[in-house]
Amino acid sequence: MMFLRNIGIFNRSLLQRSVRFNSNSTFKINWPEYFRLKKINNRLNVGSGAVTGTMGVLMTLGGLANVEIDPEKPILGLDPMITFVGLLLIGGLLGYLVGPTFGNTIFKLSYKKHLPQYNAMDKIFLQKVKVNRVNPSSQSFSNPVPDYYGERIYSLKDYKQWLRDCNAFRRKSQEFL
């Protein structure tokens, strides 16, 4: 716990904030709860991306099923099968990119009561990542940058490991300059 106090993740003034709603109850969110909600949000985004990507492929396939082709004539200068596979991939990719919009909407509707504090904690967490992340200008194949945006941090254990990795990166970049 001393280590976490020194790095400032357990700053009392930031953790004591509570959001008041119309009722008499207050909801307090702590770091483990924040990381749990962050993981749920990520899983919803990836899952909805997979669903909408599949829907994009199926819709593209439905549209291409109605097209009459001559197997001997090229489409856009390419073999018709290559063109169709490319269009299926583009449809799936566009569907996958639309997915997180639905995932965020589901998350916001499901966790309405925690959303103000989640957003406040997210802002604090991103500030801490910004302060502690490394300078990527000295990266190499043997010394890659550890998770520059902190996207794979889903627990306090992951955060501490990320800090250790950042310190190791700094040490290696200083030694090998």
Side-chain angles (χ1 to χ4, degrees):
M1 289 299 277
M2 187 63 171
F3 173 74
L4 294 174
R5 283 191 196 111
N6 288 341
I7 60 173
I9 196 164
F10 283 116
N11 189 345
R12 293 284 177 210
S13 65
L14 298 175
L15 287 177
Q16 296 300 327
R17 293 181 185 171
S18 64
V19 176
R20 204 130 177 76
F21 296 97
N22 292 336
S23 67
N24 292 333
S25 64
T26 59
F27 295 100
K28 293 186 178 184
I29 187 171
N30 54 14
W31 286 107
E33 180 69 15
Y34 163 74
F35 286 124
R36 185 183 73 80
L37 291 174
K38 183 181 174 194
K39 185 183 278 188
I40 290 170
N41 189 15
N42 184 35
R43 288 184 178 168
L44 279 172
N45 288 340
V46 170
S48 64
V51 169
T52 56
T54 304
M55 288 173 46
V57 167
L58 292 175
M59 288 172 54
T60 306
L61 190 61
L64 292 176
N66 295 328
V67 175
E68 292 184 27
I69 61 165
D70 184 6
E72 295 180 5
K73 291 185 179 179
I75 300 174
L76 301 173
L78 297 171
D79 182 49
M81 290 305 293
I82 291 175
T83 305
F84 282 1
V85 169
L87 290 173
L88 285 174
L89 289 174
I90 290 171
L93 179 66
L94 290 176
Y96 182 76
L97 291 176
V98 170
T101 304
F102 295 116
N104 280 332
T105 304
I106 293 169
F107 178 77
K108 287 176 182 178
L109 291 175
S110 299
Y111 295 97
K112 264 189 235 185
K113 65 181 180 179
H114 296 295
L115 197 59
Q117 282 198 338
Y118 173 78
N119 290 335
M121 293 290 277
D122 196 38
K123 191 173 185 180
I124 294 167
F125 174 72
L126 292 175
Q127 287 173 350
K128 294 200 175 295
V129 167
K130 189 176 180 181
V131 167
N132 292 313
R133 69 180 166 205
V134 296
N135 184 4
S137 64
S138 59
Q139 74 175 342
S140 64
F141 284 114
S142 61
N143 193 21
V145 174
D147 195 13
Y148 188 74
Y149 295 104
E151 295 169 332
R152 292 184 299 261
I153 300 173
Y154 293 115
S155 67
L156 290 174
K157 181 180 174 185
D158 293 343
Y159 181 71
K160 290 192 298 186
Q161 183 61 47
W162 178 78
L163 285 174
R164 281 188 225 110
D165 293 344
C166 288
N167 288 331
F169 179 86
R170 283 188 194 99
R171 190 174 48 252
K172 286 180 186 176
S173 63
Q174 292 297 322
E175 290 175 5
F176 296 112
L177 279 182

